[in-house]
């Protein structure tokens, strides 16, 4: 417990015998320890970086493009940029003032540029999710898929742009390879083909170790 200090680097590795991988790497932001009857429980809070994610006021002149604002905001995260590839752009006729939460603003301008911005294993990516990296992995009942894929539909609106995204939500036994931007093959009775992971989570408890993803 004494080694778990605020600001210290931390990584989470999990998997099975002979097949483990890094699920997360970042920095400790808070540590708390308490007792629950006979159990001593330490909770670790961690983020991809330890910088202040709030913006007081950042001004951009009229005629500035959304991609320029987005790249400036991404630079403020302090994370190394692995990819920056806007799918479209938008030029603002009026000056723009950016304030509030840095990550919320990145998400806003990323939507205008038609891309996703996500952090994976210490690097930040800004690109359309279809430009992800192939895992050469087939998601199927044979590789741990739980139940059947559930279809979903989301509408994304940003400035003058609107698009509808259709995909599937899938649960599987823990799979450390899954991360945002990963390209996988889906094989099931309901859906088959190549899909991109847009978001997800790894869940652990005394009862289960599950990876849940959304793909389209």
């Amino acid at each position: 417990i004494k080694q778990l200090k605020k600001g210290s680097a931390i990584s989470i590795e999990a998997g099975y015998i002979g097949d483990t991988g890094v699920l997360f790497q970042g920095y400790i932001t808070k540590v708390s320890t308490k007792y629950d009857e006979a159990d001593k429980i330490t909770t670790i809070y961690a983020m991809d970086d330890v910088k202040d994610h709030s913006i007081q006021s950042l001004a951009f002149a009229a005629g500035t493009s959304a991609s320029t604002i987005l790249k400036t905001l991404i630079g403020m995260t302090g994370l190394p940029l692995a990819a920056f590839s806007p799918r479209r752009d938008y030029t603002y006729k009026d000056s723009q003032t950016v304030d509030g939460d840095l990550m919320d603003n990145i998400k806003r301008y990323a939507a205008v540029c038609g891309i996703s911005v996500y952090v994976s294993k210490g690097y930040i990516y800004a690109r359309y999710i279809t430009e992800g990296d192939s895992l050469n992995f087939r998601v199927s009942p044979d590789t741990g898929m739980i139940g059947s894929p559930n279809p979903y539909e989301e509408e994304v609106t940003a400035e003058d742009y609107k698009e509808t995204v259709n995909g599937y939500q899938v649960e599987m036994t823990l799979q450390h390879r899954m991360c945002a931007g990963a390209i996988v093959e889906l094989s099931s009775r309901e859906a088959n083909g190549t899909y991109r992971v847009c978001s997800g989570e790894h869940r652990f408890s005394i009862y289960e170790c599950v990876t849940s993803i959304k793909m389209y």
Side-chain angles (χ1 to χ4, degrees), residues 44 48 112 151 161 216:
I44 306 167
D48 297 294
V112 177
Y161 305 107
Y216 67 82

Side-chain angles (χ1 to χ4, degrees), residues 177-210:
R177 292 174 178 81
M178 295 299 141
C179 59
I183 298 175
V184 298
E185 295 294 324
L186 176 62
S187 178
S188 69
R189 290 183 298 180
E190 290 74 14
N192 291 275
T194 302
Y195 290 85
R196 285 80 177 172
V197 178
C198 58
S199 63
E201 65 178 8
H202 301 289
R203 300 197 307 271
F204 298 86
S205 73
I206 60 174
Y207 305 107
E208 63 177 7
C209 294
V210 173

Side-chain angles (χ1 to χ4, degrees), residues 48-176:
D48 297 294
D49 65 79
V50 291
K51 288 183 175 293
D52 183 3
H53 287 176
S54 60
I55 304 173
Q56 295 300 321
S57 182
L58 189 62
F60 294 90
T64 302
S65 65
S67 62
T68 297
I69 297 175
L70 177 60
K71 195 165 189 179
T72 300
L73 296 176
I74 290 173
M76 296 174 66
T77 66
L79 295 170
L81 181 61
F84 185 81
S85 182
R87 188 160 57 104
R88 61 188 181 221
D89 213 340
Y90 183 88
T91 300
Y92 293 93
K93 296 179 181 179
D94 301 321
S95 60
Q96 297 290 302
T97 300
V98 180
D99 54 24
D101 184 78
L102 174 61
M103 298 307 178
D104 286 345
N105 280 290
I106 287 176
K107 183 177 181 181
R108 171 190 171 190
Y109 288 100
V112 177
C113 292
I115 58 176
S116 298
V117 177
Y118 55 91
V119 178
S120 180
K121 299 178 181 178
Y123 289 87
I124 193 164
Y125 296 80
R127 60 187 180 185
Y128 192 40
I129 209 72
T130 59
E131 299 175 4
D133 303 309
S134 177
L135 295 183
N136 296 315
F137 186 87
R138 184 180 298 276
V139 178
S140 70
D142 292 336
T143 58
M145 184 170 65
I146 302 170
S148 301
N150 293 315
Y152 76 92
E153 180 178 291
E154 291 180 352
E155 187 175 271
V156 180
T157 303
E159 300 300 346
D160 295 338
Y161 305 107
K162 179 185 291 186
E163 59 184 319
T164 301
V165 175
N166 294 279
Y168 291 92
Q169 292 180 299
V170 177
E171 284 201 344
M172 67 188 77
T173 55
L174 177 71
Q175 180 50 252
H176 67 80

